Amino acid sequence: MQQQRQQTARRSASSARRFVKKNVGIALAVTATAAVLGSTTSASAGTGYAYSGSVVTDVRTAATFDYAAGEIPENITANPDGSVTLSMLGSCAVCQRTHGPQLMRISASGERTVLVTGQVGEAISGNTRGTDGTVYYSVWAPGNAARNGVYKLLPDGTPQRIAALPADSGPNGLAIDAAGRTLYIADSLKGIIWSVPVSGGSVTPWLTDAALAPVPTEALPIGANGLRFHNGALWVSNFNKGTLLRVPVTGAGAAGPVRLVTGGLPNIDDFSFLTPWSDVVFAAQNGSSSQNGPDRVVVVYPNGTYKPVLTSADGLASPSATAVRGDRLYITDGGVPEPHDAKLQTARINFPALLAGAAH
C-alpha cells in the first residue's frame, strides 16, 4: 500500500510539473501580447523598484576571470547537467594579444575545465550545443582563411573545423535548428547569416540583408551578433543598429521576411528566451564595450515593449550574453572598462513580477 501511494505521489508530482511548464509558457505569451505599445521602463533590480517587485533578484557573482590573461567571456550556453559553456575572447588591449581564446566549461559546483585553447590573435565567439550534446563554436580569425570558421569537439575532445568562412568575415553568434541538422552563423562584418549542415561542408549564405549589416562609421562596426533558433525562426540582434529581428524559416528551409521585434537598444549583444514556449527575451546591452549606450539587461516582451531589469548598479560590466535555465538567469560580463571586472553573474527571475510588468 505504501509503495502504491509513493507511485501515485510521483505521478501526481510529474503531472504538476508538466502543467506548470505548459501554463507558464501560455500565460507569458497571452499576458505579454496584452502589453501596451511602446517601450516601458523601470529602475533596475538594484534600486528595489519595479512592478510588483523586481523582475530579477538575488544577483550574485558566480565566477571571476582574469581579464589581463584574456579571460573575457563573450557567449554562454546553459547545459542540462547544470554546467555552462563559455566562450573567452582572448585578445584584449591589456594583454596585448599575448593570450589565445578559450572555450571553458564551468560545472554546477564551480569546477572549471578548459575545453579548447585557440591561437593568439583570434577569438572564440559564439557557442552552442547540439541535440546529441555535441559542442560547436565559432572562431573569428581575422584575415586567416585557414582558421576562420565553425568547429566542433569530437568525442575525445579534439577540435575539428567543420565549416570554413572567408578570411574577411566575422563569425559571431551560432545557432542550431530544432532538428539538430543545420547550424547558422551570424557574420558581424558582412551582414550575412550563413548555414551549414552539422556534419560539415561548404557554407551557404542563407540570408543577406541590410538589416544584418554593421554601421561602418561606428567605432566598433558590428552588425549581426547574437543568434538563436526559436519556435521555427531565427532571431538575431544587430549590435550597431540596436535591433532585435525575427526571421521565419520556411518549410523548405529558406529565410522568410525579416521582421523587426524591437529597436532602440544600442549595443544589443546576445540574448536568450525565458522558455522554449515563450517569446519573452532577456537581452544584454554591452554599452561600455564601445561607450555607446548603457550596460544593462532588458526583458523584451513579444509585442516589442521592453524594460531594463539589471544595470551597472547591479554590477554589470560590459554584459555580452544571457542564458536562462528554470528561474535562473546567467549573465556574462566582459569587463571592458576599468577595473576590468570580467565575471559570470547569476540571478533569479521573479515570474509574478515579470507577468505584472507585461501588463503595464
Side-chain angles (χ1 to χ4, degrees):
M1 181 64 73
Q2 182 177 359
Q3 183 178 7
Q4 184 178 2
R5 284 198 299 269
Q6 289 174 341
Q7 290 175 343
T8 301
R10 282 196 294 269
R11 286 195 296 268
S12 299
S14 177
S15 298
R17 284 194 296 270
R18 289 195 298 270
F19 176 84
V20 169
K21 280 185 176 181
K22 179 179 179 181
N23 285 280
V24 164
I26 293 172
L28 285 170
V30 172
T31 307
T33 302
V36 296
L37 295 178
S39 301
T40 60
T41 59
S42 72
S44 73
T47 66
Y49 172 81
Y51 301 116
S52 301
S54 298
V55 171
V56 176
T57 65
D58 194 24
V59 184
R60 300 180 181 183
T61 297
T64 59
F65 304 110
D66 186 349
Y67 182 93
E71 293 182 351
I72 306 170
E74 162 68 9
N75 197 252
I76 182 171
T77 296
N79 302 312
D81 65 356
S83 67
V84 294
T85 304
L86 301 177
S87 303
M88 299 289 188
L89 291 179
S91 299
C92 63
V94 171
C95 61
Q96 299 178 344
R97 303 177 75 83
T98 58
H99 294 78
Q102 293 180 333
L103 190 69
M104 180 185 295
R105 178 178 291 133
I106 302 179
S107 70
S109 62
E111 181 181 358
R112 305 183 189 197
T113 303
V114 175
L115 304 174
V116 174
T117 298
Q119 297 181 5
V120 174
E122 64 190 24
I124 293 179
S125 44
N127 75 77
T128 191
R129 181 182 184 276
T131 53
D132 62 353
T134 301
V135 175
Y136 302 89
Y137 63 98
S138 305
V139 171
W140 188 337
N144 189 350
R147 292 282 298 169
N148 215 34
V150 177
Y151 293 69
K152 74 174 181 180
L153 294 184
L154 298 175
D156 64 357
T158 303
Q160 178 187 65
R161 188 166 73 155
I162 60 171
L165 284 168
D168 60 347
S169 67
N172 201 334
L174 193 62
I176 190 168
D177 71 345
R181 298 193 186 111
T182 304
L183 282 165
Y184 299 91
I185 310 106
D187 190 329
S188 293
L189 299 182
K190 289 181 170 293
I192 295 174
I193 295 176
W194 303 90
S195 67
V196 67
V198 295
S199 57
S202 299
V203 295
T204 300
W206 184 77
L207 176 64
T208 302
D209 196 282
L212 306 175
V215 177
T217 55
E218 288 283 347
L220 191 61
I222 299 293
N225 192 325
L227 195 65
R228 291 285 184 271
F229 188 94
H230 177 77
N231 280 346
L234 272 177
W235 295 57
V236 56
S237 59
N238 186 310
F239 186 80
N240 288 157
K241 295 180 179 179
T243 53
L244 179 63
L245 311 168
R246 182 183 184 275
V247 186
V249 180
T250 70
V258 179
R259 181 177 73 85
L260 175 69
V261 177
T262 195
L265 296 172
N267 287 25
I268 182 174
D269 209 317
D270 221 316
F271 56 91
S272 56
F273 293 90
L274 180 66
T275 73
W277 317 280
S278 169
D279 288 349
V280 173
V281 169
F282 284 92
Q285 279 183 269
N286 192 348
S288 59
S289 64
S290 64
Q291 289 74 51
N292 187 28
D295 273 353
R296 63 183 187 177
V297 171
V298 297
V299 59
V300 182
Y301 294 102
N303 68 350
T305 60
Y306 60 85
K307 65 178 181 179
V309 293
L310 293 173
T311 71
S312 55
D314 302 293
L316 297 183
S318 306
S320 58
T322 68
V324 177
R325 184 170 56 234
D327 67 346
R328 177 163 291 191
L329 176 67
Y330 299 84
I331 309 102
T332 51
D333 291 281
V336 173
E338 292 186 354
H340 303 304
D341 187 18
K343 62 193 173 188
L344 171 68
Q345 292 178 289
T346 63
R348 295 289 180 183
I349 299 170
N350 180 348
F351 286 93
L354 182 67
L355 290 170
H360 286 73

